[in-house]
Amino acid sequence: MRITFLGTGSAMPTGERFQTGILVQEDGRTLLIDCGAGVLQRLQQSGVGYENVSTVLLTHHHLDHVADLLPLMKARWLAGEDHLEIVGPQGTKALVDDLLDVYEYMQDKLEVQVREVVPGEFTVAGFDVSAYETRHSVPCLAYRFGDLFTFSGDSEAFAGLANFAEGSAIFAHDCSFPDDVDVSNHPTPDALGRELAGRELGRVYLTHLYPHTEGRHDEMLESITAHYDGDVRFAEDLQTVSVE
Ligand SMILES: [Zn+2]
Ligand SMILES: [Zn+2]
């Protein structure tokens, strides 16, 4: 499986990191998780291209996870592609309908199939996926792909999510801010380290990084590794990780 971080930023631009998007590829199957602003550009830069993304799996509906959905639809239509499947938590159908109500000229350009999923097991784009409800300001799902990859979506750090991810070769987790930012709905590095402590994970990648984290990566890592002795790294846009 190849995991490519397309966007490792958040709702406030750093100038370096685009908003959330992760590409998962295995045996000719391709799935895009989240589609924040800039993901369409990163898809093109990744060499995969928007033509090859026919399924998008959404963690939740915040703008920094869905802003490039309509641009993706339009680019696929212009490139001669005829469909897009959008899978996400409850409310995804209403979101897509409402977006297409605003951009009426995009209606009927593509065959758009929308599927809503709940915590549990399902298949998307040929991948067997488990979903788990995170702790965020709106309903949000974390997704796990067998023993290979888990993505937290946006979430506070908590034991249930760490349990859900345990055993994954790669665990990408929201790590929006350094410890001195008073935050809810996202973790602090200290809280994340405490929940990861003692877990069996191959490697943890930190993502969803706000500008507040710039220049503070070392101290954030120290805060996490004060509790957790595993391999923790910062994800970068267009970085690909291969796992088997
Ligand atoms: Zn969010
Ligand atoms: Zn977000």
Side-chain angles (χ1 to χ4, degrees), residues 6 14 27 29 41 60 67 69 95 99 103 123 138 144 165-166 172-173 181 193-194 211 213 229 233-234:
L6 295 173
T14 68
D27 297 334
R29 290 164 289 158
Q41 298 289 341
H60 66 303
L69 258 188
L95 173 80
L99 286 172
Y103 284 88
T123 300
V138 297
R144 177 167 178 154
E166 185 149 25
H173 202 294
V181 176
R194 287 175 192 278
T213 63
D229 63 2
R233 306 179 192 193
F234 279 82

Side-chain angles (χ1 to χ4, degrees), residues 11-143:
M12 293 170 71
T14 68
E16 303 282 331
R17 299 173 184 276
F18 284 156
Q19 295 181 348
T20 301
I22 298 178
L23 201 57
V24 179
Q25 297 170 284
E26 189 178 36
D27 297 334
R29 290 164 289 158
T30 299
L31 174 67
L32 174 63
I33 307 175
D34 286 342
C35 195
V39 167
L40 192 55
Q41 298 289 341
R42 290 291 192 229
L43 267 178
Q44 192 62 12
Q45 292 171 323
S46 73
V48 174
Y50 50 85
E51 304 96 325
N52 293 313
V53 172
S54 56
T55 307
V56 183
L57 177 63
L58 302 176
T59 59
H60 66 303
H61 299 149
H62 276 156
L63 257 179
D64 53 313
H65 300 255
V66 305
D68 264 1
L69 258 188
L70 274 174
L72 174 63
M73 286 184 214
K74 179 156 183 176
R76 283 181 62 76
W77 164 58
L78 290 171
E81 300 296 330
D82 58 9
H83 69 285
L84 182 69
E85 183 184 29
I86 302 169
V87 181
Q90 202 171 18
T92 299
K93 177 93 175 72
L95 173 80
V96 173
D97 285 349
D98 289 351
L99 286 172
L100 288 171
D101 267 353
V102 174
Y103 284 88
E104 207 173 335
Y105 81 98
M106 281 304 299
Q107 292 173 10
D108 307 323
K109 294 291 193 293
L110 286 181
E111 184 195 331
V112 178
Q113 295 162 309
V114 180
R115 182 154 56 105
E116 296 188 348
V117 292
V118 294
E121 321 257 308
F122 55 90
T123 300
V124 57
F127 293 94
D128 292 326
V129 181
S130 303
Y132 186 80
E133 178 91 44
T134 77
R135 289 188 186 163
H136 196 46
S137 53
V138 297
C140 179
L141 296 174
Y143 295 119

